[in-house]
Amino acid sequence: MRERRLMNQINVVPYIDVMLVLLVIFMVTAPMIQTGSVELPSVGKASQTPAEPLNVVVKADGSVALRDAAQDPVPMALEAVVAQLLQMQQENPARAVLIAGDRDARYDAVLKVMDALQRAGIDKIGLLVQRGEREPTTRR
């Protein structure tokens, strides 16, 4: 009886067949694919510059002040700030409201202001943050 020898070659014919079938499929379907178009806005259609946001300042003692544009903050009660903001939002609904909390202000006071603004129906609310200054390190 003859011994069977192991075959140490890979039959690549089935792989070539599969590759050719895929090539034919891609060649047939490629012309049928519809290309999408992206409509970019032109400069003439650009909206006007965004309005300057209104700032609500929460101080360290929990008091609230309203600052509009470059003016100094005007201290008010929270209810008065909400009423003033609602009036300003009716005049220009695109104006956002930013809450600026003092470094020593309690987190609870900032959340209280944010909650009051949301309950009043003001949607565009954000938090104003400033990049902290890093203390210089000394190398020895």
Side-chain angles (χ1 to χ4, degrees), residues 18-19 22 31-32 40 46 49 67 84-85 87 93 115 119-120:
V18 170
M19 179 198 64
L22 288 175
M32 294 183 215
L40 298 174
T49 58
R67 180 174 50 209
Q84 184 74 19
L85 287 175
Q87 179 185 2
D115 184 51
R119 287 180 190 260

Side-chain angles (χ1 to χ4, degrees), residues 4 8-9 18 21 25-26 37 50 64-65 69 78 80 83 89 100 114 120-123 135:
R4 284 185 108 174
N8 59 359
Q9 296 176 351
V18 170
V21 168
I25 290 172
F26 288 139
S37 62
V64 180
L78 181 57
Q89 286 269 319
M114 187 181 292
I122 298 173
D123 293 330
E135 294 181 12

Side-chain angles (χ1 to χ4, degrees), residues 16-29:
I16 293 173
D17 290 344
V18 170
M19 179 198 64
L20 291 175
V21 168
L22 288 175
L23 180 65
V24 170
I25 290 172
F26 288 139
M27 287 174 60
V28 170
T29 58

Side-chain angles (χ1 to χ4, degrees), residues 35-114:
T35 59
S37 62
V38 177
E39 296 180 20
L40 298 174
S42 65
V43 175
K45 293 181 183 177
S47 64
Q48 44 183 290
T49 58
E52 188 72 26
L54 301 164
N55 292 337
V56 177
V57 180
V58 180
K59 297 183 181 175
D61 59 355
S63 63
V64 180
L66 179 64
R67 180 174 50 209
D68 185 13
Q71 299 175 355
D72 290 331
V74 179
M76 300 177 158
L78 181 57
E79 295 80 20
V81 169
V82 171
Q84 184 74 19
L85 287 175
L86 283 174
Q87 179 185 2
M88 291 177 166
Q89 286 269 319
Q90 286 176 352
E91 295 170 5
N92 187 359
R95 287 185 88 173
V97 177
L98 297 177
I99 301 173
D102 187 73
R103 174 181 287 183
D104 297 325
R106 291 182 51 93
Y107 186 68
D108 183 41
V110 175
L111 284 180
K112 184 176 162 184
V113 171
M114 187 181 292

